[in-house]
Amino acid sequence: MREIVPPSPAIVRNDQASIQEQFQRNVVPSYGRFPLAFSRGSGSQLWDVGGRRYLDFASGIAVCTLGHSNAEITDALIEQSRKLMHVSNLYYTAPQGQLAEEIVNRIGPGKVFFCNSGAEADEGLYKIARKFGHDEGRFEILTAFNSFHGRTLAGISATGQEKVKKGFEPMTPGFRHIPYNDLEAAHAAISPATVAILIEGIQGESGVTPATPEYLLGLRKLCDERKMLLLIDGVQCGHFRTGRFQSFQRILEGHPEAAGFLPDGISMAKALGGGFPIGAFWLRQPHGDLLSAGTHGTTFGGNPLGCAVALKIISVIERDHLAQNAREVGAYLKTSLIQLMNRFPNVIKDVRGYGLMIGVEFHTNIPAFSGSDRAVSLQLINRFHEAGLLTVPSGTHTIRILPALNLKRNEADEGLAIIEKVAATLSA
Ligand code: PLP
């Protein structure tokens, strides 16, 4: 019998091994993927193709802000797609204007341009900086060491990490890196050609490092004095993750000198569409009018489908008080993780972050990891996967906790129990 029944085709078997094998044959191998293939999700839960359930503390790297398979997002997608999916930016459509207004209302007087990704949103900020300084011959943008601004050629040039640049030299000219949270260094780095400073509100890819209030305020003052633009990359840390729409609003909360603080430009993507690809940048007036007709564009930018989804997400976040939930559940997670650090001081070194953007830094000399030359963060992620929890590495020895903003307290407890179990094993 075994000889005469042919094996099921890969598409029907659809298991982990055949999916991986299909990738190996057909997909550009530019990602270091974990050996997991997912087939469905619901809220903060994901199931792999073998039917195993995982708790998702990654949410697609800070993307799936309402969790997986959210019925209201699905409805918004279906409803809009029945009406109109795409007409191009040769014409007007209502959702684009509405979404721009929602963003402006949450930041300050300005204008919004829509694109498709974070790298593209940052690219718009580089172009704005160039346009702003063009007549004076200024073009240089200062960005921070350990920053991340995407994988386009200008994105890797802006990113302050050598590993993303390697093999792609020469870099796009006009970017120089400065130490993060160091005002003196920013002052000292300015040249006659410098036109802007671009930083993340919270650095996400190199260990979860928030900007200090003094740094944000000091950069604003410096940029005003030197007629430069202050640009903030809010791609990962934005969109209510910290408990406010933008991370700088949260970081500056209650600071006596923060009244009226605004950057000149902010990039967004990731959670804006909750999994539907959409990016944007906001520009403070009068800079919102710098890009006149014909100077910038993209085919899919601001298409009605993406904008309808993004509008729905903002309305659900506000209706269900999810920024407050990010604040409360985030504070609970952070406090509990600090308690774990105090219990396992030889394993966990530090816990940082705001709201539901938390970095847990581990020691580099944990004996269980010494036998491998793989980064501690990657070995940790594998341990968490084995225990049923998805988190994201950040740099060499930090993991990021970036769950959906509607994470429930009992789900936070479930994740904490897994982290505790892994920490206890590593401490033994
Ligand atoms: N900026 C930051 C801070 C990011 O974290 C990322 C992606 O991780 C990007 C830009 C690039 O976004 P995308 O991958 O959508 O191009």
Side-chain angles (χ1 to χ4, degrees):
M1 187 67 181
R2 194 170 281 157
E3 279 87 352
I4 57 169
V5 177
S8 325
I11 192 81
V12 173
R13 247 178 41 233
N14 196 29
D15 61 6
Q16 171 74 37
S18 63
I19 290 172
Q20 264 183 256
E21 194 265 331
Q22 194 170 45
F23 266 59
Q24 267 147 23
R25 274 187 290 114
N26 303 294
V27 178
V28 171
S30 67
Y31 299 99
R33 296 177 202 266
F34 294 105
L36 293 175
F38 290 105
S39 58
R40 69 192 170 92
S42 170
S44 286
Q45 308 186 79
L46 274 170
W47 283 267
D48 70 14
V49 290
R52 184 174 178 210
R53 173 190 170 273
Y54 294 80
L55 178 66
D56 187 7
F57 270 16
S59 67
I61 319 187
V63 169
C64 309
T65 189
L66 300 183
H68 300 282
S69 310
N70 181 279
E72 288 182 279
I73 297 184
T74 308
D75 288 348
L77 259 174
I78 293 171
E79 200 183 309
Q80 183 58 48
S81 67
R82 285 210 171 104
K83 284 193 273 188
L84 190 66
M85 222 189 270
H86 180 85
V87 287
S88 88
N89 280 303
L90 293 173
Y91 314 103
Y92 296 90
T93 54
Q96 183 174 156
Q98 286 163 8
L99 181 59
E101 189 163 279
E102 294 294 338
I103 292 172
V104 167
N105 287 345
R106 281 163 185 79
I107 301 176
K111 292 190 175 172
V112 179
F113 177 91
F114 291 103
C115 53
N116 309 284
S117 70
E120 206 187 338
D122 285 337
E123 182 77 31
L125 296 184
Y126 315 143
K127 281 184 74 174
I128 269 293
R130 291 246 177 141
K131 195 91 166 87
F132 177 73
H134 190 260
D135 292 349
E136 298 163 339
R138 294 193 297 157
F139 58 89
E140 184 185 67
I141 302 171
L142 302 179
T143 68
F145 286 114
N146 296 324
S147 59
F148 186 76
H149 300 296
R151 295 289 191 155
T152 59
L153 205 43
I156 60 173
S157 308
T159 294
Q161 301 187 55
E162 281 312 305
K163 67 178 185 199
V164 306
K165 304 174 194 275
K166 220 171 144 214
F168 298 106
E169 299 88 350
M171 291 292 104
T172 305
F175 294 97
R176 251 186 323 121
H177 308 308
I178 52 176
Y180 191 61
N181 274 335
D182 184 341
L183 262 183
E184 288 303 309
H187 272 268
I190 294 169
S191 81
T194 311
V195 73
I197 299 180
L198 167 69
I199 57 154
E200 289 156 84
I202 302 175
Q203 287 191 334
E205 295 293 322
S206 54
V208 185
T209 312
T212 63
E214 293 69 34
Y215 190 52
L216 291 173
L217 295 170
L219 286 185
R220 179 67 278 171
K221 191 158 168 279
L222 178 61
C223 287
D224 288 343
E225 284 166 4
R226 306 296 290 263
K227 206 179 158 230
M228 301 188 317
L229 299 182
L230 175 59
L231 307 172
I232 294 195
D233 182 332
V235 167
Q236 187 170 150
C237 58
H239 221 65
F240 307 100
R241 178 153 292 282
T242 57
R244 290 286 296 271
F245 184 55
Q246 291 297 320
S247 65
F248 68 84
Q249 296 167 330
R250 176 76 205 266
I251 293 168
L252 291 174
E253 225 171 58
H255 194 287
E257 288 156 43
F261 176 96
L262 274 181
D264 298 301
I266 304 171
S267 56
M268 303 160 221
K270 286 190 178 281
L272 184 60
F276 192 94
I278 177 171
F281 59 86
W282 167 92
L283 298 172
R284 180 186 185 187
Q285 285 304 76
H287 313 307
D289 291 313
L290 272 175
L291 294 173
S292 54
T295 56
H296 197 49
T298 174
T299 295
F300 297 121
N303 79 77
L305 210 49
C307 291
V309 169
L311 280 164
K312 175 56 76 180
I313 290 172
I314 291 178
S315 76
V316 172
I317 288 175
E318 304 241 305
R319 183 198 66 199
D320 296 349
H321 311 291
L322 295 184
Q324 188 58 23
N325 191 63
R327 209 177 261 266
E328 287 169 12
V329 179
Y332 174 66
L333 274 168
K334 194 172 164 189
T335 309
S336 308
L337 287 163
I338 290 170
Q339 283 164 4
L340 279 186
M341 175 175 72
N342 295 334
R343 273 182 58 205
F344 303 109
N346 57 336
V347 176
I348 299 176
K349 190 175 171 200
D350 194 20
V351 178
R352 301 180 283 272
Y354 286 91
L356 285 174
M357 182 166 184
I358 303 174
V360 186
E361 184 179 342
F362 286 73
H363 284 284
T364 46
N365 59 352
I366 297 171
F369 296 144
S370 60
S372 165
D373 54 8
R374 290 191 83 205
V376 166
S377 54
L378 295 178
Q379 297 192 59
L380 274 161
I381 299 290
N382 283 330
R383 295 245 175 174
F384 289 128
H385 286 173
E386 282 160 21
L389 179 70
L390 304 174
T391 60
V392 189
S394 181
T396 52
H397 49 285
T398 300
I399 59 152
R400 261 173 291 179
I401 294 179
L402 303 163
L405 302 189
N406 53 10
L407 188 79
K408 299 187 196 79
R409 182 73 170 246
N410 66 318
E411 293 167 332
D413 280 329
E414 184 187 342
L416 284 166
I418 294 175
I419 297 171
E420 178 183 357
K421 199 170 87 182
V422 170
T425 317
L426 295 174
S427 172

